[in-house]
Amino acid sequence: MAEKTSALHSVLETIKTIVYALLIAGIFRTLFFQPFWIPSGSMKDTLLIGDFLFVNKMAYGYSYASCPSIVIPRFGVDVGSDDFCGWAKGSDKRLFGSTPERGDVVVFQHPTSGRDFIKRLIGLPGDRIQMKDGVLHINEEPVQLRDAGIFRETYEQQGPQGLRPRCENGAVGEGGTCLKSRLIETLPGGTEHAILNITTQSSDNTRVYTVPEGQFFFMGDNRDNSTDSRVPQNLGGVGFVPLENIVGRADRIMFSSAGRSMLYFWTWRADRFFKGIE
């Protein structure tokens, strides 16, 4: 009898330990950092498909979007942050809030779908944003650009989704070298980052977007392969993003894998481990 009691006590203690661990992990994820995998190539070459990072939720304070979301399509799990914290939705007030800065790489929730996106913050409230012949203009002034060589990658399936890159040098075939022009863009305030060019397309020439109060304008660094604020939400884009939808700032890549699974250790990119995001 004593042995059964001891065994039951051991099982209960194990369950308590697991519950406590999950609670601590949930609190940590809600208040401090949120893990994020890069699923697409819209932020190349700043962020590559398969990069893994933690989003700093403390950077801008907390809103309903700071609550965790759990999406596991394979098991039919789709729980959004508004399911946890929907009571706080609709307010531009942030607990311990601070203003995001132009040039920050930011994770935010899509204003209509609620899915997490990661892009670079380009336009602040009141800014006028326009693309002219592939050059970003902010408040009627073109940003500074300088040549930074060529970005090279292999034309092959990338990441769990098996996405293939777009190439400036056309159809190169499986295993070929895919090229893109690389430029360094300097934003007002002095923030510098790399952008890529693939082709001339409609997103290289846009109307003027005036960013409303309390909202922000985001773009991907891989300019010709990014769904961002240049396309309105009703046309499948991101449009303007309210302050309350901002989750946090991406500061550092923790891990990176070029393969279809992180278990393929031979595809790990060790040179990107703990790399700062610029």
Side-chain angles (χ1 to χ4, degrees):
M1 186 69 176
E3 290 181 359
K4 290 184 177 180
T5 302
S6 178
L8 179 60
H9 178 74
S10 178
V11 170
L12 290 175
E13 285 300 313
T14 300
I15 293 174
K16 283 169 61 178
T17 300
I18 293 173
V19 170
Y20 290 151
L22 291 173
L23 284 173
I24 292 171
I27 292 171
F28 183 85
R29 187 171 187 254
T30 300
L31 295 181
F32 302 110
F33 299 97
Q34 176 175 314
F36 191 88
W37 283 97
I38 302 302
S40 74
S42 68
M43 282 294 292
K44 291 178 181 177
D45 65 340
T46 304
L47 298 171
L48 304 180
I49 295 176
D51 284 347
F52 174 79
L53 50 88
F54 282 104
V55 181
N56 181 358
K57 291 188 173 184
M58 299 176 288
Y60 312 125
Y62 303 94
S63 71
Y64 90 93
S66 305
C67 287
S69 57
I70 305 172
V71 180
I72 311 176
R74 181 180 299 180
F75 300 104
V77 178
D78 188 355
V79 182
S81 59
D82 51 354
D83 292 315
F84 291 109
C85 302
W87 53 270
K89 192 171 183 179
S91 172
D92 60 0
K93 305 294 184 184
R94 299 181 72 91
L95 184 64
F96 308 121
S98 62
T99 304
E101 297 183 5
R102 192 194 316 275
D104 287 354
V105 176
V106 176
V107 172
F108 59 88
Q109 290 191 352
H110 190 284
T112 55
S113 72
R115 294 287 185 252
D116 286 342
F117 276 55
I118 185 166
K119 305 288 180 185
R120 191 175 297 276
L121 176 53
I122 297 297
L124 302 175
D127 281 343
R128 296 175 301 281
I129 308 296
Q130 185 177 23
M131 294 292 294
K132 294 182 180 180
D133 298 324
V135 178
L136 172 64
H137 287 63
I138 301 177
N139 298 323
E140 288 75 49
E141 293 294 328
V143 298
Q144 298 178 26
L145 293 170
R146 69 175 188 273
D147 182 73
I150 299 294
F151 174 72
R152 293 175 170 82
E153 60 183 335
T154 302
Y155 185 82
E156 60 185 357
Q157 291 185 323
Q158 299 178 350
Q161 299 180 48
L163 302 177
R164 297 180 186 276
R166 293 177 61 200
C167 311
E168 189 175 15
N169 55 328
V172 298
E174 191 72 17
T177 301
C178 181
L179 306 178
K180 298 177 183 65
S181 298
R182 187 174 185 269
L183 301 166
I184 299 298
E185 182 177 82
T186 304
L187 299 176
T191 299
E192 293 187 342
H193 57 273
I195 61 171
L196 302 181
N197 179 70
I198 300 172
T199 186
T200 299
Q201 57 187 42
S202 60
S203 57
D204 290 326
N205 289 281
T206 70
R207 64 179 178 85
V208 176
Y209 303 93
T210 301
V211 185
E213 187 64 31
Q215 303 198 43
F216 298 87
F217 191 97
F218 290 91
M219 294 175 66
D221 291 347
N222 192 2
R223 289 288 161 81
D224 296 331
N225 196 43
S226 174
T227 300
D228 50 40
S229 293
R230 288 172 290 179
V231 180
Q233 296 161 22
N234 61 353
L235 296 179
V238 171
F240 300 122
V241 177
L243 177 61
E244 67 167 342
N245 285 58
I246 290 179
V247 176
R249 186 180 65 218
D251 294 326
R252 187 170 299 274
I253 299 165
M254 304 304 295
F255 173 82
S256 184
S257 172
R260 301 293 298 274
S261 168
M262 66 177 293
L263 299 178
Y264 298 168
F265 64 87
W266 58 90
T267 67
W268 292 357
R269 306 182 186 106
D271 61 322
R272 296 185 67 79
F273 290 10
F274 308 112
K275 180 181 179 182
I277 298 172
E278 299 178 350

